[in-house]
Structures are given as C-alpha cells and as structure tokens.
C-alpha cells in the first residue's frame, strides 16, 4: 500500500514539475492579464461569437506580433507576424494541425484538411492533378456559365443581393464547386439552402465547444445534449455529400457524362476502382472537405470592348488591376482568418521566444495582414499595394490568405480563377455601390470570415 502511495506521489511530483517547467518557459511570452490559475478561461467562456472575434483584435493591438492566452493548465500561442509564420508554415516540422481541427473530425473525418503524416501526403498527391492548369482551363467553362446565370438572376431580381450579398455568393460558390470538383451539374437549390442552415448550426456548436475547456475531453462532451445535436447535424450533412457521390457513380455507370473533364470526385472514384489508395469513407471525407472561396471596370471594358463573349484565360491574365483588388480584399478580409498548428518539437520562434513541444499555436492571418510596418494605414483599401513593383520587397509570408508552405491551399489557383471570372462578369454588367461601410460590419468567429449582419451592395445596371 505504502509503495502505491509513494508511486502516486512521485507521479504527482513529476506532473507538477512538468506543469511548472512548462509555465516557466512559456510565461516569457507576453500575455493579457487574466486571473490566477484559470487565466483567461472564465472571461473567454462568457464571450459570444462577436465578443470573441473582437477580443482577439484587441489583444493583437495591445501586443507586438505574438502573445499567449493562458487557459487553466495550458496556453495557446497567438502569432501574427510574418517571420514566425514563415518559420512555422515553411518546414515540415509543425505540420500537425491544432486541437480545433480534431473536433471537426466527426464531420470531415481525416480528409486532406485535417489529416497528417503519410495519409495527408498520399491524399495530397492523389488530388493535386485535379487542380492542374489544364483542368482549371476546363473549369473556366463552368465559371463563365455560372457567372452568366448569376448576372441573369441579378437582372431579374436586383433587390435580392441589395438585402444581403452573402447568400447569393454562397449559392454561386456551392454550385461551381459541385459542378467542377464533383461533376454534378443538376444540384437541387433547396438541398444547398438546407445544407447551409445545418452547417451554421453545426459551426455554433463547435465554436461553443472550443470555448468550454472541459468539453475538449471527448468523454465529457459525448455525455452532453450538444454532442447529440452535433451528431444529428453531421448525419444530415453527410447525407448531402453521400448523395453527391451516389449521383456521380450513377452517371458514370450510365455514361451520361457530357464533358470529358475529369472531376476531382472522378479521380477519387477511379482510384477506388483501380487500387486500394482510398475507400468509400475516404471519398466521403474529401467530398465533405471540398464542399466546405471603377478602375477595375475600365480594365475589364478595355479588354471586352462591349463584346458579349466568355472570359478566356488570356483575358484573365490581362486583368492585372482586378487581381490587385482581389488580393487587397483577401488581405483586409481573409476568408480564412486563422489557422492553427501543434508544435511538434521544442523550438525558438524567429522573434526569440521558446515554445515547448505540444503547444498549440494559432496564426491570426487577419491581424498578420494588418501589420502597419508592412501595410501602412492597414485598414485602407489600396489595391496599389499589390502591383509587381510594390510587392517585390514584401516578406514572403506577409500575405498568406491561402496559408503557405507544404500545407498551403490546394484550391488557390482554382479560387483565384473563379473570383476573377466572377468579378469580370459582374463588372461588365453592373456598377457596384457599397450600402454598408466597413465600419458597419460586425464580424464573428466562424470557420470562415463571417459577419453577424447582412452585407448590402447596390447593383446598378450599366
Ligand atoms: C478564397 C478562397 C480560399 C481561401 C482564402 C482558402 C484558404 C485556405 C487556407 C488558409 C488553407 C490552410 C488551412 C490550414 O492550414 O489549416 C487552405 C487549405 C485548403 N484549401 Fe483552401 N482556400 C480557398 C479556396 C479553396 C477552394 C476553392 C478549395 C477547393 C476547391 C480549397 C481547398 C482547400 C483544401 C483541401 C485545403 C487543405 C490543404 C492541405 O492541408 O493539404 N480551398 N485553404
């Protein structure tokens, strides 16, 4: 008996020693003031999604590129400077994603976004050809078609987007991803609407869970009513992606596929048919992951000269100013405002702080893109920042809307092509006037940058 007590005492002493050592090292990183022991846990727990978003912005203003949030026994390092971001993202050391991704596994499994190690490498290799330049050329047909449809809908119902642009844009991107990557050209609009509603409810549950540190332990969380609601929403969202796969499989067997383009989903299905690289569960993981981005007008008009024809790749390559506008938008409003990584070994950041192995590091792209040393007057929308001349001396990781390094966004070129085609189509038909000003936007924490209130844009026919 006394031996057991002695052993327990040793384990306890070692544990306390580890916590003290960890806290001693990590406490050199500046931190907003919190309560003893619980740190900022109690305050963060009370935040709603808007307050949490604003809390991060305030902390970023109060610190210089790096700070620490202390939550009971562990700390999360918040990073928003280009040097540290480069060090973390560039190499192969810190490729393990943070805890926030693990709680998505119920929905996304361990698909490309959430997987690590050999599984990630194999999937990345398998899916990369789906974003090859020649494939993207084929996607342009769909982007042009959907942009024409969007313009037509706008002409018929111009009030719709004036109430809120977000649902219109989400519908457009959902349709294009389903058609291009999944090869589905007859998606039911009502299913998309239903999917979006379910997704919003799911996001709310997940964000709450990340705030409640005790719910990070699966055993405790799984006993809650929220866990059951989450499971039911995930089942519904999985039905949506399963239907996409079944639909495509039916089309393949009935040879009713019109275009010769190989959709990303076909690459996955081919791989399943010919080898053992991926099974049905793996395919579903990837489908779930992918279903989840006045001077300009003159430039567009100079190229098209009033002709009513589709955009070609050559046209798009000439739209340099439009590209600067898109980049400046992604700088101020990065669609993915933060990403996270788990520190795989003890290391010292480029800014000189020691970070112990296992620590979660959050990279706040939103704040990194507002570094006044790199972007003077950072809130000002100024596309000229992205001309070739003005970009040439910028540190490479000072603009990372698509992340960087080996785990950067696989859909980066796809997204740029889609956005350029879309805006080109819009600018040829409408003048856009913002009804809401940037300062009216109420941002909230979500998987992607999101506002609580509508974003209203006036479309004026030209
Ligand atoms: C404006 C549009 C987009 C933005 C700003 C964006 C941004 C990002 C970012 C920041 C990451 C890194 C995530 C992390 O490290 O945790 C990422 C990864 C990823 N993105 Fe995108 N993305 C966009 C569009 C797309 C599109 C259109 C697709 C698919 C067609 C896509 C597919 C992916 C995938 C699969 C990953 C995971 C890659 C990996 O870990 O190997 N993204 N994206």
């Amino acid at each position: 008996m006394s031996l057991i007590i002695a052993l327990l005492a040793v384990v306890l002493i070692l544990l306390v020693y580890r916590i003290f050592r960890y806290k001693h090292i990590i406490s050199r990183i500046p931190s907003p003031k919190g309560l003893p022991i619980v740190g900022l846990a109690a305050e963060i727990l009370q935040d709603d999604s808007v307050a949490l978003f604003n809390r991060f912005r305030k902390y970023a203003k109060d610190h210089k590129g790096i700070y620490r949030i202390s939550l009971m026994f562990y700390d999360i390092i918040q990073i928003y400077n280009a040097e540290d971001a480069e060090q973390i993202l560039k190499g192969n050391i810190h490729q393990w994603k943070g805890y926030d991704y693990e709680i998505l596994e119920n929905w996304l499994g361990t698909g490309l976004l959430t997987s690590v190690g050999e599984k990630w490498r194999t999937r990345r290799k398998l899916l990369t050809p789906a974003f090859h330049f020649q494939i993207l050329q084929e996607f342009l047909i769909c982007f042009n078609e959907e942009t024409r449809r969007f313009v037509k809908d706008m002409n018929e119902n111009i009030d719709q987007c004036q109430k809120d642009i977000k649902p219109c844009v989400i519908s457009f991107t959902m349709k294009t991803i389903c058609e291009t990557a999944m090869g589905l050209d007859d998606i039911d609009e009502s299913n998309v609407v239903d999917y979006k509603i379910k997704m919003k409810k799911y996001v709310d549950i997940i964000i709450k869970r990340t705030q409640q540190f005790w719910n990070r332990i699966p055993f405790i969380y799984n006993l809650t009513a929220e866990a059951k609601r989450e499971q039911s929403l995930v089942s519904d969202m999985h039905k949506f992606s399963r239907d996409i796969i079944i639909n495509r499989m039916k089309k393949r067997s009935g040879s009713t596929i019109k275009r010769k383009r190989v959709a990303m989903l076909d690459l996955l299905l081919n791989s399943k048919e010919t080898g053992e690289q991926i099974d049905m569960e793996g395919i579903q993981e990837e489908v779930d992951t992918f279903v989840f981005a006045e001077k300009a007008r003159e430039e567009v008009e100079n190229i098209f000269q009033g002709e009513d024809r589709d955009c070609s790749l050559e046209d798009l390559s000439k739209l340099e100013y439009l590209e600067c506008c898109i980049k400046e938008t992604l700088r101020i409003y990065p669609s993915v405002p933060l990403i996270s990584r788990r520190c795989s070994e003890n290391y010292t950041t480029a800014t000189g702080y020691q970070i112990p192995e296992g620590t979660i590091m959050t990279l706040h792209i939103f704040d990194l893109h507002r570094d006044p040393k790199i972007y003077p007057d950072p809130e000002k929308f100024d596309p000229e920042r992205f001309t070739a001349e003005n970009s040439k001396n910028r540190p490479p990781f000072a603009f990372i809307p698509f992340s960087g390094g080996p785990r950067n966004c696989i859909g980066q070129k796809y997204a740029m092509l889609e956005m350029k085609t879309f805006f080109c189509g819009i600018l040829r038909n409408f003048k856009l006037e913002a009804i809401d000003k940037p300062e009216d936007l109420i941002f909230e924490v979500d998987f992607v940058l999101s506002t609580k209130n509508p974003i209203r844009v006036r479309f004026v026919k030209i």
Side-chain angles (χ1 to χ4, degrees):
M1 186 67 180
S2 53
L3 186 68
I4 296 174
I5 293 173
L7 273 175
L8 280 177
V10 171
V11 171
L12 198 67
I13 290 167
L14 281 176
L15 198 69
V16 172
Y17 172 74
R18 265 186 80 105
I19 293 176
F20 268 95
R21 218 179 100 77
Y22 173 82
K23 286 280 179 190
H24 176 70
I25 297 173
I26 210 116
S27 61
R28 292 183 198 139
I29 302 174
S31 160
K33 209 167 166 44
L35 293 171
I37 304 179
V38 290
L40 292 161
E43 282 186 45
I44 286 184
L45 197 60
Q46 288 167 23
D47 283 347
D48 64 13
S49 56
V50 174
L52 194 59
F53 186 91
N54 292 334
R55 178 183 291 278
F56 285 129
R57 304 299 73 85
K58 179 179 178 325
Y59 289 161
K61 280 212 170 74
D62 294 346
H63 295 87
K64 289 197 177 74
I66 182 166
Y67 64 94
R68 169 177 61 92
I69 286 191
S70 183
L71 302 166
M72 297 281 280
F73 302 117
Y74 67 99
D75 295 67
I76 303 177
I77 309 304
Q78 318 289 325
I79 292 171
Y80 54 106
N81 70 82
E83 296 93 320
D84 287 339
E86 175 163 11
Q87 200 185 34
I88 293 165
L89 296 174
K90 212 170 158 184
N92 279 313
I93 305 171
H94 307 297
Q95 296 310 325
W96 289 76
K97 301 230 172 160
Y99 162 82
D100 297 346
Y101 297 78
E102 276 164 29
I103 59 175
L104 298 179
E105 280 181 14
N106 198 9
W107 168 41
L108 297 178
T110 43
L112 194 58
L113 181 68
T114 43
S115 60
V116 285
E118 203 36 51
K119 180 167 181 182
W120 169 76
R121 245 182 304 280
T122 316
R123 291 280 175 90
R124 181 94 187 192
K125 215 167 135 198
L126 176 65
L127 289 169
T128 297
F131 297 92
H132 189 273
F133 182 70
Q134 274 165 343
I135 304 279
L136 291 181
Q137 246 175 325
E138 294 263 344
F139 288 170
L140 194 56
I141 304 168
C142 162
F143 297 156
N144 271 308
E145 268 173 23
E146 284 303 330
T147 303
R148 273 184 190 277
R149 196 166 302 158
F150 185 94
V151 168
K152 186 169 166 281
D153 288 351
M154 286 304 299
N155 274 325
E156 285 164 10
N157 191 2
I158 209 149
D159 288 344
Q160 202 185 336
C161 288
Q162 280 174 202
K163 287 190 198 127
D164 189 4
I165 186 95
K166 286 183 286 178
C168 310
V169 175
I170 293 172
S171 274
F172 172 85
T173 49
M174 279 293 272
K175 280 190 213 151
T176 51
I177 192 79
C178 285
E179 183 172 348
T180 52
M182 314 300 165
L184 199 75
D185 48 15
D186 49 1
I187 184 144
D188 185 341
E189 185 73 36
S190 63
N191 287 346
V192 174
V193 173
D194 188 52
Y195 186 83
K196 282 188 298 194
I197 294 170
K198 301 255 160 68
M199 171 80 121
K200 175 74 189 120
K201 289 183 183 162
Y202 172 76
V203 170
D204 289 344
I205 293 177
I206 295 295
I207 298 212
K208 205 76 230 151
R209 186 177 171 195
T210 57
Q211 286 172 275
Q212 298 167 332
F213 56 90
W214 60 88
N215 272 336
R216 293 186 171 227
I217 303 164
F219 171 70
I220 297 178
Y221 176 70
N222 289 338
L223 299 173
T224 64
E226 291 297 84
K228 292 188 182 64
R229 278 185 58 216
E230 182 197 325
Q231 195 47 54
S232 148
L233 291 166
V234 167
S235 301
D236 290 345
M237 293 196 296
H238 278 166
K239 185 177 177 315
F240 179 84
S241 50
R242 217 174 20 253
D243 287 349
I244 290 179
I245 300 170
I246 292 169
N247 184 321
R248 187 65 183 173
M249 284 168 87
K250 272 191 199 144
K251 282 193 174 167
R252 283 158 62 93
S253 60
S255 331
T256 53
I257 298 171
K258 277 185 256 149
R259 294 190 181 129
K260 57 181 182 335
R261 159 186 2 120
V262 182
M264 181 205 76
L265 183 50
D266 290 325
L267 278 182
L268 295 170
L269 291 168
N270 288 345
S271 172
K272 180 179 164 288
E273 282 159 15
T274 54
E276 308 83 53
Q277 257 187 331
I278 196 156
D279 55 12
M280 274 315 269
E281 199 189 324
I283 293 176
Q284 172 130 17
E285 283 173 350
E286 296 312 338
V287 170
D288 286 325
T289 298
F290 278 78
V291 169
F292 167 69
E294 271 320 299
K295 195 169 160 185
R297 182 190 333 288
E298 268 173 43
E299 187 182 61
V300 170
E301 271 168 12
N302 282 341
I303 291 173
F304 291 95
Q305 310 265 346
E307 283 176 59
D308 181 29
R309 60 175 175 82
D310 279 351
C311 282
S312 65
L313 279 182
E314 200 194 335
D315 298 327
L316 294 180
S317 69
K318 289 184 198 152
L319 292 168
E320 287 173 15
Y321 191 75
L322 180 61
E323 183 162 326
C324 292
C325 291
I326 294 174
K327 285 184 174 166
E328 177 66 343
T329 308
L330 286 172
R331 178 187 73 80
I332 308 188
Y333 305 114
S335 321
V336 180
L338 61 89
I339 56 178
S340 116
R341 292 286 184 274
R342 191 178 347 191
C343 180
S344 311
E345 57 184 50
N346 295 338
Y347 92 109
T348 305
T349 64
T351 43
Y353 295 106
Q354 271 181 283
I355 303 201
E357 180 190 340
T359 309
I360 301 293
M361 304 175 288
T362 305
L363 277 174
H364 286 275
I365 300 174
F366 190 94
D367 301 305
L368 188 146
H369 283 176
R370 283 169 163 73
D371 183 343
K373 290 196 292 304
I374 296 169
Y375 302 106
D377 197 0
E379 296 296 336
K380 184 176 167 208
F381 183 84
D382 178 10
E384 299 287 332
R385 300 184 205 262
F386 286 98
T387 59
E389 178 60 23
N390 291 343
S391 304
K392 70 177 185 226
N393 293 326
R394 188 171 301 136
F397 282 68
F399 179 65
I400 49 166
F402 297 102
S403 181
R407 290 211 71 161
N408 68 352
C409 175
I410 199 172
Q412 171 168 353
K413 290 207 175 81
Y414 172 110
M416 283 306 284
L417 198 65
E418 180 178 19
M419 287 187 283
K420 267 180 141 181
T421 315
F422 178 74
F423 284 115
C424 185
I426 297 293
L427 293 174
R428 287 163 75 186
N429 290 280
F430 303 100
K431 246 179 157 171
L432 303 185
E433 292 170 7
I435 301 175
D436 295 303
K437 312 241 165 351
E439 56 275 22
D440 299 327
L441 301 179
I442 303 170
F443 289 106
E444 62 177 340
V445 171
D446 195 335
F447 292 167
V448 288
L449 190 65
S450 181
T451 59
K452 190 103 188 149
N453 52 341
I455 303 177
R456 293 169 305 159
V457 177
R458 188 171 295 118
F459 282 70
V460 183
K461 185 92 196 89
I462 47 176

